[in-house]
Amino acid sequence: MAQTVAKAPYGSIRGDVRDGIARYLGIPYAAPPTGERRFRPAEGREPLSGTFDAGRYGPASPQHGKGWSDEAGCLTLNIWAPENARRLPVFFFIHGGSFVYGSGSQSLYEGSHLAREGNMIVVTFNYRLGALGCLDFSDLDSRFASNCAFTDMAAALQWVYENIEAFGGDPEQITVAGQSAGAISASAFPVNRKLNHMVSKVIMMSGTPTYLRSRKENREISQRFFEYTGFDDPQKLLSEDAGRLAEMGWNFQSVCGMGEATYSLAVDGETIPVSPVAAAAEGAAKSIPIFMGTTQEELAFVTSPILGGALGIRGHIRRSLREEDPEVLRALRREYSRQFGRRGNSVFIADRVFRMGSLWYAQAYSAFAPAWLYRFDFESRAMQVIGLRACHSSDLPLFFGNISTGIFPYMYLLDQRQKPHLTLMSEMQKDVFRFVAEGELPWDGCTPDSVPAKIYDREIRYADAMEGSIREAFEQTRFYAETFRPPYSA
């Protein structure tokens, strides 16, 4: 295996070359978030001395079930680049995982395929998770801050902006992309005036800015967590083993009753000054193009007796719907039943949690900058059999081209004769590559009044991302009123 050395402003970094793709793994991009820095914003670190060996991934951020208790080396990033690359566009990807699990080193996100087929630089990275990354203890004392996870993301982007040219990337052509929690995070970048000079384009997959919280809400959850730990001194948050804190954070999800909706970023007036919807409505994204969408039945598993309860999502959904006018809810459900029959409830939940907020963001965004929408309706035969349909994350293996890892071969097992997933993968990636390179897509973009979308399915088609009658019904909800009530803050 050949080796290569990139000489960046940060220092010399040694990677390896496989099948024409240079890989640089586990590069530290920020100071270790330990001791007094555990709950503080990410800090830059000193340039490297000597040559850094980027031959393996760094440890993932402390999280449930992984056994990692040392967070010192978790803030690392990974780069895949075509050999001898020069000024190529950069794909900067923020992983999902409900802000409580995952890493940039998961096999699903391995970047060789995208780098090779798309002729671009691919970057993945880790950020602080769960209680360590999302809770806000800043009302305890000055050693704590809000949105530590987001400051990690911003620090990783800053590192890429300052160093990626040494790896063959163009710092003026960085696409910030993310899925699920990563897409929620990505929504805050193009409209953040302190950061968007580093952003040329944005891709959001199955995430909505309406899931950012207010700082007040996040502090209330954080206070409940502090009480749950039984700690009598804030110092214990800094001195407790990071792995144990991560386990506490995981268990807290069931205690607080919010399941996988427990952790998120907050509109804190500082790192995220105002909600992305508000900022987009005021033109803060300038001319940064955005490409965003969802799967057709994001939360189909919620209707499953086993999975719905296991993920702890049902209670959160019930609480959010309890705030709505019962008559408005009944009208909505009638409309879904009329249009989707027995699948109406599954599609309604997907729209309420994911699609509606995404469409409102796209509409606000499109008044000032280009915005394109997609919807992923493809259901493999196996997914149909087990009832998961086009659910959350079912588009990811096709997006990255990593369909032979993990459980994904089983997902397409019943489609091996005609292989429709391979045709669809090629179509999806063709659009991603064009958008990353040119910032344009060959179908009608969104406007403040219309939501045309490309529908990825066994047969590609173009239609509204959501029926007009359902959009109108949602505009009668409290959810809509709170999203667009001035000053639109979460």
Side-chain angles (χ1 to χ4, degrees), residues 118-444:
N119 196 32
M120 60 187 184
I121 312 298
V122 177
V123 179
T124 67
F125 65 100
N126 302 334
Y127 54 89
R128 280 172 282 183
L129 298 169
L132 295 163
C134 296
L135 294 187
D136 180 358
F137 303 106
S138 58
D139 55 346
L140 295 178
D141 65 49
S142 61
R143 295 173 295 177
F144 302 89
S146 66
N147 286 340
C148 290
F150 187 74
T151 71
D152 294 345
M153 300 170 194
L157 180 61
Q158 183 75 44
W159 192 99
V160 169
Y161 184 73
E162 293 174 353
N163 292 276
I164 203 63
E165 194 167 359
F167 301 85
D170 183 351
E172 302 305 321
Q173 291 294 325
I174 299 176
T175 297
V176 173
Q179 189 267 347
S180 193
I184 294 172
S185 306
S187 74
F189 278 89
V191 293
N192 189 314
R193 299 182 192 277
K194 294 181 180 179
L195 301 174
N196 63 9
H197 66 284
M198 298 183 287
V199 180
S200 73
K201 309 167 198 75
V202 176
I203 297 176
M204 288 173 53
M205 305 171 63
S206 300
T208 167
T210 53
Y211 260 67
L212 272 69
R213 296 199 176 96
S214 69
R215 188 165 199 174
K216 179 176 181 292
E217 290 170 326
N218 229 25
R219 280 181 166 174
E220 289 173 351
I221 294 171
S222 304
Q223 178 60 36
R224 290 176 62 190
F225 175 79
F226 186 65
E227 294 169 356
Y228 166 75
T229 63
F231 294 162
D232 55 6
D233 183 348
Q235 175 62 34
K236 293 184 178 181
L237 288 170
L238 299 172
S239 58
E240 179 61 79
D241 177 83
R244 177 166 161 73
L245 272 182
E247 288 294 338
M248 286 180 174
W250 177 267
N251 296 330
F252 177 66
Q253 293 177 109
S254 58
V255 173
C256 75
M258 299 180 70
E260 291 206 1
T262 300
Y263 301 102
S264 189
L265 303 178
V267 179
D268 60 0
E270 298 168 5
T271 56
I272 303 178
V274 67
S275 81
V277 175
E282 296 170 356
K286 299 182 291 187
S287 58
I288 300 172
I290 193 167
F291 179 31
M292 59 194 299
T294 63
T295 68
Q296 170 70 337
E297 295 186 46
E298 292 277 0
L299 295 178
F301 47 79
V302 170
T303 61
S304 163
I306 298 175
L307 292 178
L311 294 174
I313 294 174
R314 287 178 181 160
H316 171 68
I317 294 173
R318 281 197 296 267
R319 280 191 299 277
S320 66
L321 294 180
R322 206 175 292 142
E323 300 174 353
E324 297 290 353
D325 183 299
E327 185 53 43
V328 171
L329 269 185
R330 281 192 289 270
L332 261 173
R333 292 189 181 279
R334 283 195 299 269
E335 191 62 32
Y336 277 92
S337 179
R338 182 182 70 81
Q339 292 196 31
F340 300 100
R342 294 172 62 184
R343 293 170 69 174
N345 188 49
S346 177
V347 180
F348 166 65
I349 292 172
D351 287 354
R352 173 60 179 80
V353 177
F354 288 95
R355 188 151 39 245
M356 205 65 250
S358 298
L359 295 190
W360 289 336
Y361 186 47
Q363 288 178 286
Y365 199 102
S366 68
F368 298 93
W372 286 272
L373 293 169
Y374 76 86
R375 197 178 73 210
F376 184 85
D377 286 15
F378 177 78
E379 302 171 353
S380 72
R381 301 299 184 199
M383 298 293 277
Q384 290 175 344
V385 168
I386 62 178
L388 290 186
R389 305 290 179 174
C391 69
H392 194 61
S393 300
S394 60
D395 51 346
L396 268 176
L398 300 182
F399 185 94
F400 271 88
N402 295 326
I403 60 175
S404 300
T405 63
I407 65 169
F408 301 120
Y410 301 101
M411 183 185 297
Y412 309 116
L413 190 62
L414 304 181
D415 290 296
Q416 288 305 312
R417 178 172 295 179
Q418 295 182 321
K419 295 181 171 56
H421 55 292
L422 297 184
T423 301
L424 185 57
M425 181 175 75
S426 176
E427 183 71 16
M428 291 176 65
Q429 291 184 352
K430 179 182 69 176
D431 291 335
V432 170
F433 299 156
R434 176 169 178 170
F435 184 77
V436 170
E438 304 174 14
E440 294 183 350
L441 289 167
W443 66 88
D444 290 340

Side-chain angles (χ1 to χ4, degrees), residues 30-160:
T34 56
E36 295 288 302
R37 288 194 294 263
R38 173 176 280 177
F39 290 99
R40 296 295 303 163
E43 298 178 11
R45 57 186 303 154
E46 294 298 316
L48 297 167
S49 58
T51 299
F52 179 80
D53 184 6
R56 62 180 181 177
Y57 292 114
S61 296
Q63 58 194 276
H64 169 69
K66 297 299 183 181
W68 289 303
S69 60
D70 179 9
E71 75 265 55
C74 69
L75 298 187
T76 62
L77 56 81
N78 316 295
I79 299 171
W80 291 264
E83 195 174 11
N84 301 317
R86 294 290 184 273
R87 303 290 291 186
L88 295 182
V90 180
F91 181 78
F92 176 89
F93 184 77
I94 309 171
H95 74 77
S98 300
F99 292 104
V100 75
Y101 58 86
S103 73
S105 60
Q106 290 173 254
S107 59
L108 175 58
Y109 308 132
E110 207 279 339
S112 295
H113 177 89
L114 287 183
R116 180 181 300 107
E117 300 301 320
N119 196 32
M120 60 187 184
I121 312 298
V122 177
V123 179
T124 67
F125 65 100
N126 302 334
Y127 54 89
R128 280 172 282 183
L129 298 169
L132 295 163
C134 296
L135 294 187
D136 180 358
F137 303 106
S138 58
D139 55 346
L140 295 178
D141 65 49
S142 61
R143 295 173 295 177
F144 302 89
S146 66
N147 286 340
C148 290
F150 187 74
T151 71
D152 294 345
M153 300 170 194
L157 180 61
Q158 183 75 44
W159 192 99
V160 169

